Amino acid sequence: MASAINKLLDWMLSGLGLSVSADSAVGYIVAALIHITLIINLVAVGALVFIWLERKISGRIQDRLGPTRVGGKFGWLQTLADGLKLITKEDLMPDGADGFLFKIAPYVSFAASIAAFIAIPFAGGPYPWIAQHLNTGVFFVVAVLGLEVFGVILAGYSSASKWSLFGAMREAAQVVSYEVPLGMCAVVPVLIAGSMDMVVIGNQQAGLFTNWFIFHDPATFITFWVYLTCATASVNRAPFDLAEAESELVAGFHTEYSGLRWSFFFMAEYGSMLSVSILASVLFLGAWNGPIPVASMLGLTAANGDVPGYIGNLLGLLNVLFKGVVGVSVMIWIRWTLPRLRIDQVMATCLKYCTPIAAVMFLGAVVWQYNLPGRTFFGLLAAPQETFAVDEGWAALPTTTAEPAKPAMVERGAATSLAPRLAANQGRGN
Amino acid sequence: MDAIYWPSVFFLIFGALACGFALAVLLSANIVRMAFYLVLSLAATSGLFFLAGQEFVGAMQLLIYVGGTLVLLIFGVMLTSQERFVNMKTLAGDWVIGMIAGGALLSLLTAAAFSVPEWRGPERAAVENLPIEPNATPIGMGLLGARVDQIGAPADERAGMAGYLFPFEIVSVHLLVVLIGAAYLARAKRRSNPLPTG
Amino acid sequence: MTSSLLANLLTEPPGVAHYMTVGAVMFVCGAMCMATKRNALGVLMGIELVLNGANLNFIAFGSKYLDNGGPQLGLDGSLIALFVIVLAAAEAAVALAIALNFYNNHDSIDVDRADQLQG
């Protein structure tokens, strides 16, 4: 992308008598800025849409209408009006607060939330749409998602309020605990794909929906639901939203926040909801591949040229975003359906149920892979073999230099040296 | 003048962040601020790991160190953060002795680092043409006892390059022991009455 | 020599020595933290810094992007770094449990007051 931008700049500036070399730094900086702008806009606009969606869905679930007035039909501008209200609010800070940490905490949360999108692919194929193609993408996303808790902890501590501190303590305990089963669940698709590269994982699920990893075997099917539970808990959504339990802790860690800083916390929350949903769709739900491979049926792949490949990637982007929005909607639906758990129940859910189930499902996936390599749940269609080749980028190992005979030689040597000794022993015994 | 080598710029940024926040940890007296600076310092270190081509270790650093260990540490800070413990001043005499010893150690280590010509950095042309090789799979195979990076080596050189299956098992058992031990140490105390009550 | 090194930093790749310098700064900061802080958790943070400074050296020696023909650790470097990270996590858990126990029993987190074994 950087070289393409440099070429474009070169072409535009050639009229002025200037030239830009193909590896100029300008292209890299512009490319980075474009990526970052897209990601921030995705999170910010996503938050606008999701907050409106949450209100509409909660309204419908509670037999209300939700917002109806602002912006004409369906009140779709309600969040924007809220945003305006929040910007004009006074930015309060409690007297005893630790000013520096209090001010920086929302940005820590928000930064961690958008940093996860750096390694998330939005369309696959040979030319994936991804800000930074990481070899350890899944691992990176899971790791960065765990950093959001810092903002919450700092906010809770620096607010100098009992409610905030309690909320932050609960959040710290909860997030650290739930990262264990979350990581275990994320490892299962990694195990099947043989790679932590999210583009490789997504590309392996091409074809009919029977190739999706959720339908790969019974273990992955259960793992998906455990993942959904743990993801809901790790982004602090009800029924696991102990950190902001309104009925007990006023508003938990953001009790003392108001105005724009408060809305940063909300953007971070909705941003990480979207990222865990997209992670779920990449790991389990076929990523950018629809249930029926429409794009490849119509020939919209990169093999048929640039423009069809681009359109195919656009369809993939729509797929990923659709799955992400569905995931977020499911979380909203759960929030307005289930009552909140107690803190000990939250911990019991994690340690007594999610972690053991995830561990057993990991074993189950191993056993399935070992006994039925390349076969999926439905068993009717063997998955396309070419997609199961692990493309890790490193060259195939030279097989000729491997010496499998070596351990055997050691054994033989031991046996030969042992035999006279045994004979001698027998002789002595006799 | 040569073109700017961008990894070097990122090295300077991450290195300065890591060193600066490490210094901030040292100089700050507020324990919560210290924890915050430590988070940033270790995150910048993971950036250095990524820069050195060790993506897996960098992500591991973020996941376990920054996401796990430090959350635990901050948890401990909050559990013990009473007013009189948040700001604990170090005595001036300690500072002087520490600065002398630390400065001597730092100058020694830095001088040692730059005294070996092979360590001063490769030629630019040599590095720029290196292929990008992911190392997550070799690391995983190494932990399972197979050194895929050493397959091409002659047999006599390979003798000392064992896999890491045994240390991996030891670490796993060690973690389990630590888990149980920490839970036992930090369990809620039942205040038993020291005197037997008839 | 030092000035030319600094001038080269922007145009030439960083080497093992540069990583070692960063590691040395972190190591020294950590060691001084351990020596001067009175809060037990501050001492713990110093240990984390020391471990990270050492880890940086392992990573630097294991990376082929910093290699200038010197002896290399290769994969061993990253594997040892992984073990260091895991053991640091274990160490932090135990040390934290000890610190919390100390706090429960003595109502203080000042390591200077942990002197009962002196008799």
Side-chain angles (χ1 to χ4, degrees), chain B residues 26-49:
Chain B
L26 176 61
L27 298 179
S28 171
N30 183 327
I31 186 76
V32 185
R33 293 269 176 97
M34 277 172 63
F36 180 60
Y37 295 141
L38 187 63
V39 170
L40 295 181
S41 179
L42 297 192
T45 315
S46 84
L48 284 178
F49 289 178

mmCIF file of all heavy atoms in Angstrom, chain B residues 26-49:
data_model
loop_
_atom_site.group_PDB
_atom_site.id
_atom_site.type_symbol
_atom_site.label_atom_id
_atom_site.label_comp_id
_atom_site.label_asym_id
_atom_site.label_seq_id
_atom_site.Cartn_x
_atom_site.Cartn_y
_atom_site.Cartn_z
ATOM 1 N N LEU B 26 11.615 4.271 39.033
ATOM 2 C CA LEU B 26 12.610 4.426 40.094
ATOM 3 C C LEU B 26 12.396 5.713 40.871
ATOM 4 O O LEU B 26 12.467 5.734 42.103
ATOM 5 C CB LEU B 26 13.999 4.409 39.461
ATOM 6 C CG LEU B 26 15.170 4.653 40.403
ATOM 7 C CD1 LEU B 26 15.208 3.573 41.451
ATOM 8 C CD2 LEU B 26 16.457 4.688 39.635
ATOM 9 N N LEU B 27 12.092 6.792 40.144
ATOM 10 C CA LEU B 27 12.092 8.097 40.800
ATOM 11 C C LEU B 27 10.765 8.439 41.447
ATOM 12 O O LEU B 27 10.705 9.317 42.300
ATOM 13 C CB LEU B 27 12.452 9.183 39.780
ATOM 14 C CG LEU B 27 13.856 9.019 39.182
ATOM 15 C CD1 LEU B 27 14.126 10.104 38.166
ATOM 16 C CD2 LEU B 27 14.902 9.050 40.277
ATOM 17 N N SER B 28 9.698 7.768 41.042
ATOM 18 C CA SER B 28 8.401 8.110 41.605
ATOM 19 C C SER B 28 8.274 7.549 43.021
ATOM 20 O O SER B 28 8.773 6.466 43.314
ATOM 21 C CB SER B 28 7.301 7.551 40.717
ATOM 22 O OG SER B 28 6.071 7.690 41.360
ATOM 23 N N ALA B 29 7.612 8.295 43.877
ATOM 24 C CA ALA B 29 7.424 7.820 45.242
ATOM 25 C C ALA B 29 6.034 7.216 45.439
ATOM 26 O O ALA B 29 5.807 6.486 46.390
ATOM 27 C CB ALA B 29 7.640 8.960 46.226
ATOM 28 N N ASN B 30 5.125 7.512 44.521
ATOM 29 C CA ASN B 30 3.748 7.039 44.650
ATOM 30 C C ASN B 30 3.634 5.647 44.053
ATOM 31 O O ASN B 30 3.963 5.431 42.876
ATOM 32 C CB ASN B 30 2.844 8.034 43.912
ATOM 33 C CG ASN B 30 1.391 7.679 44.030
ATOM 34 O OD1 ASN B 30 1.043 6.510 44.090
ATOM 35 N ND2 ASN B 30 0.554 8.681 44.058
ATOM 36 N N ILE B 31 3.169 4.697 44.836
ATOM 37 C CA ILE B 31 3.220 3.298 44.413
ATOM 38 C C ILE B 31 2.289 3.044 43.222
ATOM 39 O O ILE B 31 2.605 2.246 42.337
ATOM 40 C CB ILE B 31 2.895 2.374 45.609
ATOM 41 C CG1 ILE B 31 3.085 0.902 45.244
ATOM 42 C CG2 ILE B 31 1.520 2.591 46.116
ATOM 43 C CD1 ILE B 31 4.505 0.500 45.194
ATOM 44 N N VAL B 32 1.158 3.747 43.153
ATOM 45 C CA VAL B 32 0.240 3.514 42.043
ATOM 46 C C VAL B 32 0.814 4.083 40.751
ATOM 47 O O VAL B 32 0.740 3.463 39.682
ATOM 48 C CB VAL B 32 -1.130 4.124 42.350
ATOM 49 C CG1 VAL B 32 -2.098 3.774 41.266
ATOM 50 C CG2 VAL B 32 -1.632 3.625 43.665
ATOM 51 N N ARG B 33 1.420 5.260 40.842
ATOM 52 C CA ARG B 33 2.097 5.825 39.668
ATOM 53 C C ARG B 33 3.198 4.883 39.203
ATOM 54 O O ARG B 33 3.392 4.666 38.017
ATOM 55 C CB ARG B 33 2.724 7.163 40.013
ATOM 56 C CG ARG B 33 1.739 8.246 40.334
ATOM 57 C CD ARG B 33 1.399 9.002 39.073
ATOM 58 N NE ARG B 33 0.381 9.986 39.393
ATOM 59 C CZ ARG B 33 0.653 11.254 39.662
ATOM 60 N NH1 ARG B 33 1.886 11.679 39.622
ATOM 61 N NH2 ARG B 33 -0.316 12.094 39.939
ATOM 62 N N MET B 34 3.935 4.322 40.169
ATOM 63 C CA MET B 34 5.007 3.393 39.809
ATOM 64 C C MET B 34 4.448 2.241 38.992
ATOM 65 O O MET B 34 5.033 1.851 37.971
ATOM 66 C CB MET B 34 5.661 2.844 41.078
ATOM 67 C CG MET B 34 6.702 3.718 41.688
ATOM 68 S SD MET B 34 7.207 3.072 43.276
ATOM 69 C CE MET B 34 7.899 1.505 42.812
ATOM 70 N N ALA B 35 3.332 1.691 39.444
ATOM 71 C CA ALA B 35 2.739 0.562 38.725
ATOM 72 C C ALA B 35 2.363 0.981 37.309
ATOM 73 O O ALA B 35 2.607 0.254 36.346
ATOM 74 C CB ALA B 35 1.518 0.055 39.475
ATOM 75 N N PHE B 36 1.802 2.182 37.171
ATOM 76 C CA PHE B 36 1.397 2.661 35.847
ATOM 77 C C PHE B 36 2.611 2.815 34.938
ATOM 78 O O PHE B 36 2.606 2.384 33.778
ATOM 79 C CB PHE B 36 0.644 3.976 35.996
ATOM 80 C CG PHE B 36 0.194 4.559 34.697
ATOM 81 C CD1 PHE B 36 -0.658 3.865 33.872
ATOM 82 C CD2 PHE B 36 0.631 5.803 34.301
ATOM 83 C CE1 PHE B 36 -1.070 4.398 32.676
ATOM 84 C CE2 PHE B 36 0.222 6.346 33.109
ATOM 85 C CZ PHE B 36 -0.623 5.642 32.298
ATOM 86 N N TYR B 37 3.685 3.422 35.462
ATOM 87 C CA TYR B 37 4.890 3.588 34.650
ATOM 88 C C TYR B 37 5.484 2.231 34.280
ATOM 89 O O TYR B 37 6.010 2.050 33.179
ATOM 90 C CB TYR B 37 5.929 4.422 35.396
ATOM 91 C CG TYR B 37 5.508 5.837 35.656
ATOM 92 C CD1 TYR B 37 5.810 6.483 36.842
ATOM 93 C CD2 TYR B 37 4.798 6.537 34.691
ATOM 94 C CE1 TYR B 37 5.421 7.780 37.075
ATOM 95 C CE2 TYR B 37 4.401 7.837 34.918
ATOM 96 C CZ TYR B 37 4.711 8.453 36.117
ATOM 97 O OH TYR B 37 4.325 9.735 36.340
ATOM 98 N N LEU B 38 5.395 1.281 35.214
ATOM 99 C CA LEU B 38 5.938 -0.045 34.930
ATOM 100 C C LEU B 38 5.179 -0.693 33.775
ATOM 101 O O LEU B 38 5.788 -1.318 32.895
ATOM 102 C CB LEU B 38 5.845 -0.912 36.188
ATOM 103 C CG LEU B 38 6.513 -2.277 36.095
ATOM 104 C CD1 LEU B 38 7.988 -2.108 35.887
ATOM 105 C CD2 LEU B 38 6.253 -3.086 37.340
ATOM 106 N N VAL B 39 3.857 -0.517 33.765
ATOM 107 C CA VAL B 39 3.065 -1.044 32.657
ATOM 108 C C VAL B 39 3.569 -0.480 31.340
ATOM 109 O O VAL B 39 3.812 -1.215 30.377
ATOM 110 C CB VAL B 39 1.581 -0.679 32.851
ATOM 111 C CG1 VAL B 39 0.801 -1.005 31.594
ATOM 112 C CG2 VAL B 39 1.007 -1.404 34.024
ATOM 113 N N LEU B 40 3.759 0.840 31.303
ATOM 114 C CA LEU B 40 4.176 1.457 30.040
ATOM 115 C C LEU B 40 5.576 1.000 29.654
ATOM 116 O O LEU B 40 5.857 0.745 28.476
ATOM 117 C CB LEU B 40 4.129 2.977 30.173
ATOM 118 C CG LEU B 40 2.726 3.529 30.387
ATOM 119 C CD1 LEU B 40 2.771 5.030 30.486
ATOM 120 C CD2 LEU B 40 1.809 3.121 29.265
ATOM 121 N N SER B 41 6.449 0.870 30.651
ATOM 122 C CA SER B 41 7.811 0.438 30.350
ATOM 123 C C SER B 41 7.821 -0.968 29.767
ATOM 124 O O SER B 41 8.494 -1.229 28.769
ATOM 125 C CB SER B 41 8.649 0.497 31.633
ATOM 126 O OG SER B 41 9.942 0.063 31.393
ATOM 127 N N LEU B 42 7.048 -1.860 30.369
ATOM 128 C CA LEU B 42 7.051 -3.233 29.878
ATOM 129 C C LEU B 42 6.351 -3.332 28.532
ATOM 130 O O LEU B 42 6.744 -4.137 27.682
ATOM 131 C CB LEU B 42 6.387 -4.164 30.894
ATOM 132 C CG LEU B 42 7.103 -4.254 32.236
ATOM 133 C CD1 LEU B 42 6.551 -5.387 33.057
ATOM 134 C CD2 LEU B 42 8.577 -4.448 32.049
ATOM 135 N N ALA B 43 5.337 -2.502 28.298
ATOM 136 C CA ALA B 43 4.682 -2.506 26.986
ATOM 137 C C ALA B 43 5.664 -2.021 25.921
ATOM 138 O O ALA B 43 5.719 -2.575 24.818
ATOM 139 C CB ALA B 43 3.441 -1.634 27.012
ATOM 140 N N ALA B 44 6.465 -1.000 26.252
ATOM 141 C CA ALA B 44 7.467 -0.527 25.295
ATOM 142 C C ALA B 44 8.503 -1.613 25.047
ATOM 143 O O ALA B 44 8.985 -1.776 23.920
ATOM 144 C CB ALA B 44 8.143 0.735 25.820
ATOM 145 N N THR B 45 8.832 -2.389 26.080
ATOM 146 C CA THR B 45 9.765 -3.501 25.891
ATOM 147 C C THR B 45 9.202 -4.524 24.923
ATOM 148 O O THR B 45 9.924 -5.067 24.085
ATOM 149 C CB THR B 45 10.049 -4.183 27.236
ATOM 150 O OG1 THR B 45 10.281 -3.190 28.202
ATOM 151 C CG2 THR B 45 11.251 -5.063 27.133
ATOM 152 N N SER B 46 7.886 -4.776 25.028
ATOM 153 C CA SER B 46 7.301 -5.735 24.091
ATOM 154 C C SER B 46 7.372 -5.167 22.679
ATOM 155 O O SER B 46 7.544 -5.915 21.716
ATOM 156 C CB SER B 46 5.868 -6.071 24.480
ATOM 157 O OG SER B 46 4.985 -5.119 23.979
ATOM 158 N N GLY B 47 7.284 -3.830 22.538
ATOM 159 C CA GLY B 47 7.502 -3.224 21.226
ATOM 160 C C GLY B 47 8.905 -3.515 20.716
ATOM 161 O O GLY B 47 9.096 -3.832 19.540
ATOM 162 N N LEU B 48 9.891 -3.472 21.606
ATOM 163 C CA LEU B 48 11.262 -3.809 21.207
ATOM 164 C C LEU B 48 11.361 -5.265 20.770
ATOM 165 O O LEU B 48 12.081 -5.597 19.840
ATOM 166 C CB LEU B 48 12.218 -3.552 22.372
ATOM 167 C CG LEU B 48 12.577 -2.103 22.669
ATOM 168 C CD1 LEU B 48 13.473 -2.033 23.874
ATOM 169 C CD2 LEU B 48 13.270 -1.492 21.490
ATOM 170 N N PHE B 49 10.605 -6.149 21.454
ATOM 171 C CA PHE B 49 10.621 -7.562 21.066
ATOM 172 C C PHE B 49 10.063 -7.721 19.653
ATOM 173 O O PHE B 49 10.612 -8.441 18.837
ATOM 174 C CB PHE B 49 9.778 -8.404 22.037
ATOM 175 C CG PHE B 49 10.384 -8.571 23.396
ATOM 176 C CD1 PHE B 49 9.719 -9.274 24.379
ATOM 177 C CD2 PHE B 49 11.618 -8.047 23.689
ATOM 178 C CE1 PHE B 49 10.268 -9.430 25.631
ATOM 179 C CE2 PHE B 49 12.185 -8.195 24.940
ATOM 180 C CZ PHE B 49 11.494 -8.883 25.912
#
